[in-house]
């Protein structure tokens, strides 16, 4: 499985060179994102002025939430069909905004490396599924993680450009 970065607002999740999901931002000024997976429409929408809380919907039905803390680490809560809540934590592994890990119960599930590509204005995202259990479908979690990593990288770039101008 791989993540193809089209531009800073469009990402594709590929499996055996076939697009299985595509994450995109419908409006250029918005942090809200949409993606399709298994014929279902998913949305990630900011909740509140500070945009530290987000809701995740599937066909306009809330299926989860995201909470950011002060250092941009994220808690992802997804509701299962059995009405259980699965909690994941996305955090940065390196101080250079390049390596991220998603954990469930303190054990790594996914690792995503934002590898700089100087030919493009955006990084390539390399995916590694740590917990290789065939019973778990991590594609929804991967799309949400790509959304959060992209927002974090945009924030870091905006902060760096403001610091450079000052």
């Amino acid at each position: 499985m791989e993540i193809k970065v089209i531009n800073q607002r469009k990402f594709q999740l590929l499996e055996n060179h076939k697009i299985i999901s595509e994450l995109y931002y419908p409006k250029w000024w918005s942090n809200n994102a949409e993606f399709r997976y298994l014929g279902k429409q998913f949305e990630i929408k900011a909740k509140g002025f500070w945009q530290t809380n987000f809701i995740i919907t599937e066909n306009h039905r809330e299926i989860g939430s995201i909470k950011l803390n002060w250092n941009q680490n994220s808690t992802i809560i997804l509701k299962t069909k059995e009405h259980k809540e699965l909690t994941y934590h996305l955090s940065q592994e390196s101080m250079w905004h390049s390596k991220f890990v998603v954990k469930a119960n303190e054990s790594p599930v996914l690792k995503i490396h934002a590898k700089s590509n100087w030919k493009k204005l955006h990084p390539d995202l390399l995916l590694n599924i740590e917990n290789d259990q065939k019973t778990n479908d991590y594609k929804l979690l991967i799309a949400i993680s790509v959304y959060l990593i992209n927002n974090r990288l945009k924030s870091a770039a905006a902060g760096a450009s403001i610091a450079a101008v000052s």
Side-chain angles (χ1 to χ4, degrees):
M1 197 169 323
E2 79 179 271
I3 302 165
K4 183 176 181 183
V5 181
I6 306 301
N7 57 42
Q8 292 177 336
R9 305 192 63 74
K10 191 172 186 179
F11 305 84
Q12 294 175 337
L13 182 60
L14 305 172
E15 190 168 46
N16 299 326
H17 304 290
K18 291 183 182 178
I19 300 170
I20 56 171
S21 180
E22 186 171 76
L23 172 79
Y24 62 94
Y25 295 78
K27 298 178 182 160
W28 67 269
W29 48 266
S30 176
N31 271 341
N32 296 341
E34 298 177 1
F35 60 97
R36 294 189 66 76
Y37 173 58
L38 294 176
K40 298 174 185 170
Q41 179 71 26
F42 293 88
E43 293 178 280
I44 302 173
K45 295 181 182 178
K47 195 167 92 172
F49 178 75
W50 298 108
Q51 296 191 1
T52 56
N53 293 310
F54 300 84
I55 59 168
I56 304 162
T57 62
E58 174 188 319
N59 296 331
H60 306 290
R61 183 180 53 88
E62 188 173 330
I63 60 158
S65 63
I66 302 169
K67 293 180 182 168
L68 301 178
N69 65 11
W70 64 273
N71 63 354
Q72 295 284 314
N73 288 337
S74 310
T75 301
I76 303 164
I77 300 169
L78 296 174
K79 298 173 187 169
T80 66
K81 291 176 184 172
E82 297 82 27
H83 303 290
K84 295 180 183 177
E85 289 188 348
L86 302 174
T87 303
Y88 301 95
H89 299 281
L90 175 103
S91 59
Q92 193 172 301
E93 276 194 315
S94 70
M95 67 181 237
W96 301 112
H97 298 284
S98 63
K99 294 183 181 178
F100 300 89
V101 63
V102 178
K103 293 182 179 179
N105 300 324
E106 295 300 318
S107 61
V109 176
L110 303 172
K111 287 192 178 186
I112 300 174
H113 180 199
K115 187 177 178 186
S116 294
N117 184 337
W118 299 111
K119 294 178 185 176
K120 301 187 236 175
L121 296 175
H122 48 355
D124 292 325
L125 297 176
L126 307 174
L127 173 67
N128 186 25
I129 298 175
E130 295 290 309
N131 188 355
D132 197 21
Q133 295 178 357
K134 301 295 181 195
T135 57
N136 292 336
D137 184 9
Y138 292 124
K139 293 169 186 81
L140 176 61
L141 184 61
I142 292 167
I144 295 166
S145 300
V146 167
Y147 168 80
L148 291 168
I149 290 168
N150 186 51
N151 283 358
R152 184 180 288 193
L153 294 175
K154 285 192 309 185
S155 296
S161 66
I162 291 171
V165 173
S166 312

